[in-house]
Amino acid sequence: MDAFVIHGGKRLKGTVRVSGSKNASLPLMAAALLTEEPMTLRDVPHLSDIGNMVSLLRELGCEIEHGDDHVMTMRVTDEMNSHARYDVVRTMRASICVLGPLLAKRGEAKVSMPGGCAIGDRPVDLHLRGMEALGAEVTLDGGDIHVKAKKLRGARIFLGGPFGSTVLGTANVMSAAVLAEGTTVIEQAACEPEVVDLADMLTSMGANISGAGTPRLIIEGVKELKGVDHRVIADRIEAGTLIMGAAITNGDVKIENCPLDTLTAAMDRLNAIGVTAEPVEHADNPMRCTVSVGSARRLEPISVTTQPHPGFPTDLQAQLMALLTLADGNSMVTEKIFPERFLHVAELARMGAKCYRQGPTVMVSGVKKLTAAPVMASDLRASAGLVLAGMAAKGVTKVNRVYHLDRGYERLEEKLRGIGAEIERVAE
Ligand code: EPZ
């Protein structure tokens, strides 16, 4: 198992590029199952979660190449197997993305029920409610979700749950509804940019979808979809992580391919802390702008609550908390999407952070400095928060088990080294 060794205290300086989005790529890849025509995806990052999805889609009869140039070509050549096995699903929960496309195209799917994960219980009841509303019969068989339908029919579906909408649930139901007969209306659909990207691609494939990016999606079913050549949106979470990396080291960094327009809530909170991110070029194309990040010497404490998009993203909560450990005062961080997503709290404490948790809220009492220590977290974003803390702490921090980071950040250590961090990957 690899670890990162970080010699902290270096200011980040220079230019770094944001990769294509992991969380957009996964449902886009699964949508290849909806057509027999070839599909090309551009700017697909090389990550272990993407590799897992490639393996799953190959098992489901899809031929795939993923080049060093980040271009992925895909084509379904065999529709015989519609079973996403436990061995695959337990390595990656996002395997659930194949449920809707398989049901719509092949009339049947078996997907192993995803178990809990490090960030809490993660039920899929809303996904199943959507499939049922479209006319599928849903059963549980030996730990597998089995969905079956001779024909899917459009329906009015409410996808709100106790913690808001569901991102992959919306992707799944939308991907099934595009081939259903008649009109589907999804109420309380997720508004995340990754859902919009999927709707855009499905539309280019011949689907009829309106309302993407709003809580009401309207889908008129079509008979079939064609192939497509599509560029994946930039990764807003990687961009936010890099912005906070610049801020926590009091750095001065240019971030290319930064989807600043999808980071409004994050920038609102970062501005309140004293961090600025100004678009410096391509201002006419905010999806792919370059931003110049700087921060005040003194970081202000703030309150923040994670929410569905366009609110502050849960996937940036750990990184923001790392930054707030060095603010001048007490901050409040409330997690409203995954109330147990606090694996980083105890690890940050090992570095001298003062965090007090009560249920879904953590009070972060800023300290003057963090001290280096060996740390570890079993969640992707928690690990990213620890890397940021390690870059700010004087001394040598070792972040263990970086395979979590490899699931969602492409060559993070190389990117950070390119802008001045002293960080190395070591084999354990
Ligand atoms: C997506 O997960 C992302 N994953 C997550 O990113 C992200 O944290 C999450 O959305 C929220 O933004 C991918 O895109 C691959 P949800 P998803 O269904 O879709 C509850 C990362 O670090 N819920 O929107 O699985 C659920 O428990 C990952 O990159 C139900 O109650 O999340 C949670 O409280 C981690 N029933 C809330 O809804 C359901 O059927 C939102 O979850 C589904 C979800």
Side-chain angles (χ1 to χ4, degrees), residues 22-23 122-126 166-168 315 337 341 381:
K22 161 184 90 90
N23 287 348
R122 294 180 63 187
V124 291
D125 56 311
L126 299 171
T166 161
V167 177
L168 293 182
D315 291 349
I337 308 292
R341 193 176 202 179
R381 310 300 173 186

Side-chain angles (χ1 to χ4, degrees), residues 6-7 9 39 45 48 91 101 109 160 167 174 195 197 226 233 263 277 296 298 301 335-336 357 370 375 396:
I6 305 167
H7 291 257
M39 185 167 126
S48 56
T91 56
V167 177
M174 174 165 68
V195 173
D197 199 27
K226 52 185 195 297
I233 55 170
L263 285 165
R298 178 176 179 276
E335 176 55 67
K336 283 249 174 103
R357 178 177 169 196
L370 294 172
V375 287
V396 183

Side-chain angles (χ1 to χ4, degrees), residues 17-25 27 43 45 47 165-168 190-197 213 232-245 255-267 270 277 286-289 291 293 305-317 319-320 337-338 341 380-381 384 388 408-409 415:
R17 182 182 182 279
V18 175
S19 298
S21 159
K22 161 184 90 90
N23 287 348
S25 296
D43 217 6
L47 299 168
S165 190
T166 161
V167 177
L168 293 182
C191 302
E192 270 66 5
E194 295 76 17
V195 173
V196 178
D197 199 27
V232 178
I233 55 170
D235 195 317
R236 63 193 168 105
I237 305 303
E238 187 196 359
T241 305
L242 292 168
I243 292 172
M244 293 185 208
I255 301 176
E256 291 177 349
N257 198 34
C258 181
L260 200 55
D261 62 334
T262 61
L263 285 165
T264 311
M267 285 318 307
L270 284 165
M287 277 308 287
R288 304 213 177 272
C289 74
V291 300
V293 185
T305 300
T306 64
Q307 284 171 331
H309 192 77
F312 189 92
T314 172
D315 291 349
L316 284 174
Q317 180 255 109
Q319 302 89 316
L320 186 77
I337 308 292
F338 296 113
R341 193 176 202 179
L380 161 60
R381 310 300 173 186
L388 298 194
Y409 291 91
K415 284 195 182 187

Side-chain angles (χ1 to χ4, degrees), residues 134 154-159 165-178 182-192 194-200 202-203 208-221:
L134 291 172
R156 180 171 283 267
I157 303 167
F158 176 67
L159 279 188
S165 190
T166 161
V167 177
L168 293 182
T170 303
N172 247 333
V173 177
M174 174 165 68
S175 298
V178 289
T183 308
T184 297
V185 179
I186 305 178
E187 300 283 6
Q188 206 160 333
C191 302
E192 270 66 5
E194 295 76 17
V195 173
V196 178
D197 199 27
L198 176 63
D200 286 347
L202 292 170
T203 302
N208 191 342
I209 302 170
S210 56
T214 76
R216 177 182 290 159
L217 277 173
I218 303 173
I219 303 152
E220 302 287 346

Side-chain angles (χ1 to χ4, degrees), residues 82-83 98-100 102-103 107-111 145-148:
S82 298
H83 186 191
V98 300
L99 190 76
L102 285 176
L103 174 68
E108 183 172 23
K110 257 190 187 184
V111 177
I145 300 161
H146 189 187
V147 291
K148 219 167 141 179

